Amino acid sequence: MYGAIIGDIVGSRFEFDRGPWIKTFEMFTPECEWTDDSAMTLAIGEALVSAGLDADTEVIKAECIKSMKKWGTKYPYAGYGGRFMGWVLSDDPKPYNSWGNGSAMRVSAAGLLYGSLERTREVARATAEVTHNHPEGIKGAECVAAVMYLARTGKSKAEIREYVESEFEYDLSSSVDELRPLHRMDESCMDALPKALVSFFEGESFEDVIRNAVSLGGDTDTIAAIAGSMAECFFGVPESFKSSARSCLEEEMLPVLDSVYGMI
């Protein structure tokens, strides 16, 4: 979760394809802020802690809906899309067949908490399906959580890449340098996942992964949140980055973050 939140905060000032499409930028500045990506990452984390590690998927979905509505209502101006905000404010929220990248950016708690790859993917799917029940929305969430699980259980990048290409069939043939000139604002999983994955696979450290992702432009906070989630489990997160991220969050968010890591 730290990886997602740091990616969101660092990428926030470049969101909406505001450039500069380079890797040499200051990581944390006064202009950085948490956005809907961090809020929903925390919401899913809170939901999974509340449900318990052995909960069935219907309980998980109910807790996700409850927590996402809670945080979305509390911070309605964090940058949510219109359809998602309509879901938050609905008395009877239903999934709306979204393939947006929100399912992938918020899933990191599922990638951290569970003891098998099968269970990790099952929970990731459940967290997506409450809103993003389109196959691409589900695939994005499952892929991120699966990469996190594989990374934290000692798999090499080559092994992780082979799994991703065989299971999820994303096109990873372009490099970061090749993707960078194609920058555009696109909030779909189909755009974000290949960019985040390539940023992760090419990255030489946690920080380098974040810099790769942000340099690609477009929906920078979300691409960096997704890439950062994966990078956290492979490289770990520098303590100074954790401290900077915590200082950006609201005080009431910190116990949620701590509760997830307390279960690991």
Side-chain angles (χ1 to χ4, degrees), residues 2-156:
Y2 272 111
I5 291 168
I6 290 165
D8 175 41
I9 291 170
V10 173
S12 63
R13 63 194 177 102
F14 305 114
E15 189 185 12
F16 304 113
D17 206 24
R18 287 180 285 184
W21 312 291
I22 58 175
K23 290 179 64 172
T24 54
F25 55 84
E26 190 172 354
M27 289 285 283
F28 293 94
T29 74
E31 291 76 35
C32 291
E33 60 184 356
W34 64 267
T35 77
D36 58 312
D37 296 14
S38 291
M40 288 302 107
T41 294
L42 290 161
I44 295 300
E46 180 182 74
L48 298 185
V49 171
S50 181
L53 296 182
D54 297 323
D56 65 37
T57 55
E58 292 308 307
V59 171
I60 290 169
K61 288 180 181 181
E63 290 295 336
C64 286
I65 291 168
K66 175 183 173 183
S67 192
M68 290 163 73
K69 284 175 64 67
K70 167 189 163 182
W71 289 97
T73 302
K74 191 170 189 64
Y75 296 102
Y77 304 113
Y80 307 102
R83 284 203 299 169
F84 180 77
M85 203 62 215
W87 181 92
V88 166
L89 298 175
S90 172
D91 292 331
D92 186 24
K94 301 293 184 185
Y96 49 90
N97 201 38
S98 175
W99 60 77
N101 54 28
S103 60
M105 62 77 172
R106 71 191 188 210
V107 76
S108 56
L112 291 171
L113 289 175
Y114 300 95
S116 72
L117 180 56
E118 293 73 22
R119 176 61 169 166
T120 296
R121 289 186 60 170
E122 177 186 43
V123 174
R125 172 180 286 267
T127 69
E129 285 180 335
V130 294
T131 52
H132 292 54
N133 58 330
H134 187 281
E136 291 291 343
I138 294 168
K139 184 171 86 168
E142 284 197 49
C143 180
V144 174
V147 170
M148 293 179 68
Y149 175 85
L150 294 170
R152 69 179 173 84
T153 54
K155 299 300 183 184
S156 68

Side-chain angles (χ1 to χ4, degrees), residues 105-237:
M105 62 77 172
R106 71 191 188 210
V107 76
S108 56
L112 291 171
L113 289 175
Y114 300 95
S116 72
L117 180 56
E118 293 73 22
R119 176 61 169 166
T120 296
R121 289 186 60 170
E122 177 186 43
V123 174
R125 172 180 286 267
T127 69
E129 285 180 335
V130 294
T131 52
H132 292 54
N133 58 330
H134 187 281
E136 291 291 343
I138 294 168
K139 184 171 86 168
E142 284 197 49
C143 180
V144 174
V147 170
M148 293 179 68
Y149 175 85
L150 294 170
R152 69 179 173 84
T153 54
K155 299 300 183 184
S156 68
K157 283 190 180 179
E159 290 171 314
I160 298 169
R161 185 178 185 125
E162 181 180 3
Y163 182 84
V164 168
E165 290 179 330
S166 64
E167 287 288 311
F168 302 107
E169 300 182 339
Y170 288 116
D171 180 3
L172 306 178
S173 61
S174 298
S175 67
V176 169
D177 286 344
E178 290 168 333
L179 289 170
R180 193 175 293 117
L182 307 177
H183 62 84
R184 66 189 185 281
M185 188 64 188
D186 185 330
E187 296 178 318
S188 70
C189 272
M190 296 82 86
D191 182 78
L193 263 296
K195 290 178 178 177
L197 286 161
V198 170
S199 296
F200 165 65
F201 287 126
E202 287 193 20
E204 298 179 356
S205 66
F206 177 84
E207 180 176 344
D208 194 44
V209 172
I210 298 296
R211 291 187 180 280
N212 281 341
V214 172
S215 77
L216 293 177
D219 196 3
T220 48
D221 59 334
T222 302
I223 296 169
I226 296 169
S229 297
M230 298 184 282
E232 172 180 1
C233 291
F234 193 85
F235 294 108
V237 179

